[in-house]
Amino acid sequence: MDAKLAGLSYYPIKSAAGIHVNEAVLEPRGLRYDRRWLVVDDAGMFITQRTVPKLALLKPVLDGHHLTLQAHHKTPLTLPLTPPTPPTPPLTSPQTSPEHSEHMTVTIWNDTVPARLVSAEADAWLSEFLETPVRLVAMPEESLRPIDPDYAQTDAHNIVSFADGFAVLVISEASLTDLNSRLAEDLPMNRFRPNLVVRGVPAYAEDRWTTMHIGEAILRVVKPCVRCVVTTTNQTTLERGREPLKTLASYRRALGGVIFGQNAVVVKPGKLELGMPITLSG
């Protein structure tokens, strides 16, 4: 197989639009800046497209020094990429409310994670856009969220950002081509929000991989990705239908749901570039 890296994307704010790039740095918890920001409610519970589809229309822009929030009919808001500060527990004394603290403990699935509040200005901008009270938090470097221990690898870093559960999501171009051959209307890859897209392999070959070598970087493939309602959401119009989950259920059903793509953890960080050859083992 002549496998190559054909797509490279990261999603700075969980569930918001992605950024497609020609090169990126793979770090222990995933691609640099991937899912390092999270929208939460006032109680610190994470919010995604599952319940707020409009997040798809939020377009983050990163220039290495600033994070800019963009959305239709909204004046862009530019925020500094200040160095994350060490997390501290939220203040709970009667005299000081968590809203006045720089830090907040947030909940994502079954994990509680120390996070840093970005700014009141960001909270107001997002609350107005999403039409519900929300806050924007960032994950400091010192906030180490472990992956599910059932999938931890002895040679891997086993940490993750605000992604659902794993550092990297991998899908082959051929897998999407096969799925689209079964659908009445083709779907774009952005329905599935992968970090890495692989060209030059058969459909669903990723199901059999255990290790990926890309340049100096090494990833361990650990678990199929169980898909949710986000895949049924048109990322431009926000319309929802039954596809692709209905069709995937007819031939890609596994324990826990329907699967498409594979989750991976980082064994060795490195720089990734489009067109890089990939050495695969399974």
Side-chain angles (χ1 to χ4, degrees):
M1 292 186 295
D2 187 20
K4 294 186 181 299
L5 185 61
L8 193 54
S9 304
Y10 64 96
Y11 308 81
I13 301 175
K14 183 177 177 63
S15 251
I19 298 176
H20 311 296
V21 294
N22 293 326
E23 59 183 43
V25 177
L26 182 67
E27 299 180 331
R29 73 185 87 211
L31 295 183
R32 181 173 294 172
Y33 302 126
D34 186 53
R35 278 98 166 182
R36 294 300 294 271
W37 288 265
L38 178 69
V39 178
V40 300
D41 64 18
D42 284 336
M45 180 63 67
F46 79 120
I47 294 173
T48 72
Q49 287 186 43
R50 294 170 179 87
T51 55
V52 184
K54 198 174 182 181
L55 272 168
L57 304 182
L58 172 61
K59 300 186 183 302
V61 176
L62 277 168
D63 64 7
H65 300 284
H66 300 91
L67 169 68
T68 299
L69 309 182
Q70 296 183 347
H72 196 49
H73 297 313
K74 287 280 293 178
T75 302
L77 176 64
T78 297
L79 304 164
L81 286 184
T82 53
T85 54
T88 59
L91 299 175
T92 56
S93 66
Q95 293 79 22
T96 311
S97 89
E99 285 77 8
H100 298 114
S101 171
E102 187 179 350
H103 305 279
M104 185 180 198
T105 297
V106 302
T107 301
I108 174 168
W109 298 115
N110 295 321
D111 298 329
T112 55
V113 184
R116 177 175 54 85
L117 289 163
V118 173
S119 72
E121 190 178 16
D123 297 346
W125 193 98
L126 284 168
S127 297
E128 181 181 80
F129 172 62
L130 297 175
E131 302 175 277
T132 188
V134 298
R135 313 195 77 175
L136 182 65
V137 300
M139 177 178 280
E141 287 298 320
E142 295 81 3
S143 183
L144 301 179
R145 179 184 171 215
I147 68 164
D148 184 334
D150 288 344
Y151 300 98
Q153 302 288 301
T154 56
D155 60 350
H157 291 277
N158 297 315
I159 56 175
V160 63
S161 63
F162 289 127
D164 274 351
F166 297 91
V168 175
L169 176 62
V170 182
I171 298 177
S172 72
E173 283 186 334
S175 297
L176 180 61
T177 299
D178 179 81
L179 172 60
N180 280 333
S181 73
R182 304 165 189 263
L183 300 173
E185 183 177 345
D186 285 359
L187 297 180
M189 188 65 86
N190 70 4
R191 288 288 188 98
F192 304 96
R193 303 173 65 81
N195 297 113
L196 309 182
V197 177
V198 180
R199 177 178 298 157
V201 298
Y204 313 112
E206 57 267 37
D207 293 352
R208 300 181 292 276
W209 300 340
T210 57
T211 307
M212 302 175 65
H213 291 254
I214 313 174
E216 294 184 353
I218 304 173
L219 298 104
R220 187 83 67 213
V221 181
V222 295
K223 181 183 180 294
C225 183
V226 177
R227 308 316 307 220
C228 71
V229 69
V230 172
T231 63
T232 71
T233 307
N234 186 305
Q235 298 291 291
T236 302
T237 67
L238 307 186
E239 293 177 327
R240 276 185 173 166
R242 300 179 65 187
E243 296 295 2
L245 295 183
K246 178 184 176 183
T247 295
L248 285 172
S250 70
Y251 75 111
R252 295 286 294 172
R253 182 174 290 281
L255 185 65
V258 298
I259 58 174
F260 192 79
Q262 292 286 324
N263 291 299
V265 295
V266 178
V267 174
K268 183 181 179 184
K271 184 177 180 181
L272 305 181
E273 296 182 15
L274 290 186
M276 273 185 158
I278 305 175
T279 301
L280 304 163
S281 62

